[in-house]
Amino acid sequence: MSGLSWMYETYQSSIIALYGLGTETRQVIRQLGNDFEIAGLLDGYRTGGRLYEKDIISLEQALDMGVKLILVVARPGSCRAIARRTGKICQENQVALMDIRGNNLCEIKKVSYCFPDQKECGKSWLLKQAETYDVISVDLFDTLVMRQTMFPEDVPEIAQYRWQEKGVRIENFCGRRLESEKALSASSAPSLTQIYERAIADFASPGVTPEELAQMEWSVDYDLLVPRREMCRVISELYRQGREVYIVSDTYYTKEQIEQILEKCGIDFVTDCILSCCHHTGKKQRLFEVLKEKTGGKTCVHIGDDPDADIAAAQRNHIASLRVYSGAQLMEQTGYLGLWDSMESLSDRIRGGMFTSVLFNSPFRPEEGGEKICVRRADETGYLFFAPVITDFVLWSDRQITEYGIQNVWFTARDGYLIRKLYDSWKPDRYPVYFLTSRIAAIRAGVETEADIRSVGEMKYSGTLRQQLRERFGITAECECNDTSQTLEDFTAQILEKAKSCRKNYKKYIDGLPVREGTVAFIDFVAKGTSQMYLSRLTSHPLKGFYFLRLEEEYMRKTGLDIVPFYENEEKADSVMFERYYMLETVLTSPEAMVTGFDEQGAPCYAKETRRKKDISCLLRVQRGIERYFHTYTKLCPREVMHINKKLDEAILSLPGAVTILDGDFLNLKVEDPFFNRTTDLTDLF
C-alpha cells in the first residue's frame, strides 16, 4: 500500500475514479479496499459495462458524480497519451489527474535545454555496470528501437487511416482494437492476430481478415521504427566481448516479425528473443522466469526504460536492472522543449515523434561532460529545426496550386532550389520548373522607365553608386565616387539600353521552357514582389505568386500583383518567422551562384561565387536533412490527416540557440544579400 500512501492525506474523503482497464487496475482496487469511494472505471474507448465489480463510466459521468481525483493506472507512455486527451477537461473542472506514483499528469515540466541530472545518462556508466555480468537482457521498444510518433496508441490510428485509404471503414476501429488488447492481456499475452479476431468478432463483414488487419498494423509500426544507434552500439560492444544478449520484450508481434525489425535496424548482436506472445506471459508475470531458465546460473542484468515492466519486474525475479531513458521520457523531462501545447493532432504527434527520434535518439548525455542538449551535425540541424516549416510550405503550395487549377509551376531560383526538389518528389506529374532568376536578373531585363529606375534606387544599396550600377544593372559607368549629387537617374539612358538586350536574352530562355496555356504559379520564398513584377513584363502568361512571406505588402499594393502569402500580414507581428526567415533562406538556396542574366542563346550567366566550398558542402548537408524529413513525414503520415501547424513550426524554429548546435561549418555560415550588398553571420540571427 505504500506506493499509494500519498492519496490518503488529500483524497481519502473524496470520490475518485480509476483510469485504465488492465490487470493493474484490479490490483489497485484490491489495495485501496474500502478506504476510498470509487465511482467507476474510465477508458479512452469504452464507456459501458462492468469490470472488476465496478461500472465503466464516461468522463462526463465522472464529473457529474463529483469525482475529485482520477487515478491513472497505466504505463508512463500511456499516461502521457491519457493526459493529452483528458487533461484540459480535468483542469477546467478542478479534478486532479494523477498516476499511481503520485505525479500530476496535468503539470507540464518546466522547459529545460539540459539533460536530466541523472547518473544513468552516461554511456560509460552503463558499460561499466553491465560488463560485470555474463548475460545482458535488454528491452526492445523504446530502448533499442523507438517509434517516430509520440505514443504507441498512434500506431493503430495510423493503420485505421491506411485502411480508409483502401476504402475499408470499421466503426470505432481504434476503440475496438485497444479494448480487445486490454481484455485479452488481462489473462494472457495475445498475438496481434488474436487481438483483431476479438476486435471484429461482432462486426458484420468488415471485408478484411484479422490476419490482414494485424499485418497492416505491423507494417505501419515497421515503417515507424528506427534504431537508437548509440544504445545499439553499447549492447553490440558487450556482445562482442563475449556476453550473451537476450531481447526480452512485451510484444504481440511474432518472432519472425521481430527478427525483421532487428534486421531493418541493423541489430545483429542477439543470442535469442524472449517474447511475451510466444511464451503467453509478460515481463510483469513470468517472462523473466523464462529468461532465467534459458541462462541457467549465469549472472544477468536487464536494461530497459520502463520503471515497472523493466526495472521493478526484473528485480522481483532477482535479476539486476539498469534503467535508460526513452526518447519520450527525455522529451517529457525537458518540458517537451516548449512544444507540447502546439501538438494538436495525429499529424503533430508524428512530427513530434520524428523530432524526438533524432534529438533524443541517444539516451546518453554527451560524454564530454556537457549537460546541454546538443545537435552535432548539419543534416540533423536541417531535419530538426528547418524541415517542419519548409514541409508545411510545400504542402500548402500544392494545395493552392490544386485549388486554383494551375498547370504551370515555376519555383524561382535560388530559394526555390530545394523546395522544387521536394515538390517534384511529392507531385512528379506536375513537372514543376526550376525557374532561373534573381532580383538582379529580373530588374536588369525588366526596367522600362525612369520611374522603374527610381524605384530600384529607393531600395538602398550598401555601397557606392558605381558599385550599384555594376551589381544591380550590369553596366560600368564613369561617375565621381565622392559626388553625392549623382543618382541612378543620371544613368537612365545606359540602364535602359542595357535592359533591351537583357530583356531579349531573357525571353529566349523563357520561350524554351515547357509552358502550357494559362496562369503560371510563381513560387517565391520571401519577397516584396519585385521579381514577379518585372518578370511579368517578359511573358504573356499571367503570374500568380505564392510566397512563404511577403514583405512591404502595403508599399507594393499599387503594383496590383496577384500574390497569395503563406503567412498573412496579420500573422507577422506574433510570429518568429519574420525574425528568422533569413536563416531559412540561407539553407534553402542553390549550390550554384546567383543568375545575373542570359546570353544571346538564352543560356544563364552566373555571378562569381562568393561562398567557400566548405560552406556549400555544409549547405547541402543541411538540405539532405530537410529532404529526409520531408520524405519520412510524407511516407508516415496519412494524407487525410496531414495538418499544417504554423504554431508548432514556429516553436521548433525558435529552438536554435536554446538547443546547442555544435557543427562548426554550420555556425560559420553567412547570410549573403548581393542585391543590398550586405552580409550577416548566421549566428547573429539566433
Side-chain angles (χ1 to χ4, degrees), residues 183-292:
L184 292 175
S185 297
S187 57
S188 67
S191 69
L192 194 53
T193 298
Q194 290 170 331
I195 290 170
Y196 275 112
E197 284 174 348
R198 185 184 187 282
I200 64 170
D202 60 344
F203 195 86
S205 301
V208 287
T209 66
E211 290 78 12
E212 290 171 324
L213 291 166
Q215 177 63 29
M216 173 66 85
E217 182 173 331
W218 177 81
S219 177
V220 167
D221 208 4
Y222 179 86
D223 288 341
L224 288 167
L225 289 165
V226 294
R228 300 189 81 185
R229 294 181 296 275
E230 283 200 65
M231 189 65 204
C232 288
R233 281 194 285 269
V234 167
I235 304 301
S236 178
E237 183 174 338
L238 291 166
Y239 180 76
R240 289 197 308 272
Q241 291 173 1
R243 290 165 182 80
E244 297 177 21
V245 173
Y246 289 86
I247 285 179
V248 178
S249 177
D250 286 335
T251 181
Y252 30 68
Y253 295 143
T254 66
K255 191 168 186 178
E256 292 73 21
Q257 288 172 327
I258 293 296
E259 288 172 348
Q260 289 183 57
I261 291 171
L262 298 181
E263 182 179 1
K264 173 193 175 183
C265 295
I267 298 173
D268 57 0
F269 43 80
V270 176
T271 305
D272 198 3
C273 296
I274 301 175
L275 311 175
S276 61
C277 68
C278 295
H279 295 277
H280 311 294
T281 186
K283 284 187 280 191
K284 292 184 180 180
Q285 288 80 47
R286 296 181 295 100
L287 201 60
F288 283 113
E289 294 179 17
V290 177
L291 172 67
K292 292 172 72 174

Side-chain angles (χ1 to χ4, degrees), residues 63-80:
L63 297 176
D64 290 341
M65 295 168 73
V67 165
K68 293 301 179 185
L69 167 68
I70 296 176
L71 182 65
V72 180
V73 188
R75 292 186 177 187
S78 297
C79 287
R80 288 186 289 272

Side-chain angles (χ1 to χ4, degrees), residues 8-21:
Y8 276 79
E9 182 176 348
T10 307
Y11 297 106
Q12 190 171 10
S13 60
S14 302
I15 302 173
I16 70 171
L18 305 185
Y19 199 118
L21 305 181

Side-chain angles (χ1 to χ4, degrees), residues 660-679:
T660 302
I661 297 173
L662 298 178
D663 191 295
D665 290 340
F666 177 81
L667 296 174
N668 288 326
L669 289 177
K670 295 184 182 297
V671 182
E672 296 184 352
D673 191 337
F675 184 76
F676 290 101
N677 193 30
R678 297 171 187 162
T679 301

Side-chain angles (χ1 to χ4, degrees), residues 58-223:
S58 67
L59 181 57
E60 291 75 15
Q61 288 175 305
L63 297 176
D64 290 341
M65 295 168 73
V67 165
K68 293 301 179 185
L69 167 68
I70 296 176
L71 182 65
V72 180
V73 188
R75 292 186 177 187
S78 297
C79 287
R80 288 186 289 272
I82 292 165
R84 174 180 53 81
R85 290 195 297 265
T86 63
K88 185 176 180 181
I89 296 174
C90 288
Q91 287 178 309
E92 290 173 348
N93 290 274
Q94 297 181 318
V95 174
L97 185 68
M98 312 284 284
D99 69 13
I100 56 176
R101 289 162 289 278
N103 298 312
N104 180 358
L105 298 178
C106 290
E107 179 183 52
I108 299 297
K109 291 183 180 292
K110 183 180 179 181
V111 175
S112 170
Y113 303 104
C114 297
F115 265 86
D117 186 20
Q118 302 282 349
K119 65 178 181 180
E120 297 97 326
C121 289
K123 182 166 55 176
S124 299
W125 177 88
L126 184 69
L127 272 170
K128 185 176 180 180
Q129 296 294 316
E131 66 186 9
T132 61
Y133 296 90
D134 301 322
V135 175
I136 308 300
S137 166
V138 62
D139 175 45
L140 180 60
F141 298 100
D142 294 323
T143 300
L144 280 180
V145 301
M146 63 190 301
R147 295 181 175 92
Q148 297 175 95
T149 191
M150 291 301 296
F151 306 117
E153 292 86 350
D154 296 333
V155 179
E157 188 172 350
I158 296 171
Q160 172 188 345
Y161 285 105
R162 294 282 183 242
W163 281 116
Q164 288 178 188
E165 290 171 356
K166 293 176 175 289
V168 177
R169 293 181 179 271
I170 298 177
E171 182 182 350
N172 191 23
F173 181 99
C174 290
R176 289 170 177 269
R177 153 69 179 81
L178 295 174
E179 191 277 329
S180 177
E181 179 186 352
K182 290 175 183 177
L184 292 175
S185 297
S187 57
S188 67
S191 69
L192 194 53
T193 298
Q194 290 170 331
I195 290 170
Y196 275 112
E197 284 174 348
R198 185 184 187 282
I200 64 170
D202 60 344
F203 195 86
S205 301
V208 287
T209 66
E211 290 78 12
E212 290 171 324
L213 291 166
Q215 177 63 29
M216 173 66 85
E217 182 173 331
W218 177 81
S219 177
V220 167
D221 208 4
Y222 179 86
D223 288 341

Side-chain angles (χ1 to χ4, degrees), residues 32 84 161 178 367 375 411 430 516:
L32 296 177
R84 174 180 53 81
Y161 285 105
L178 295 174
E367 286 295 309
V375 179
F411 288 91
R430 285 265 169 84
R516 308 168 194 172

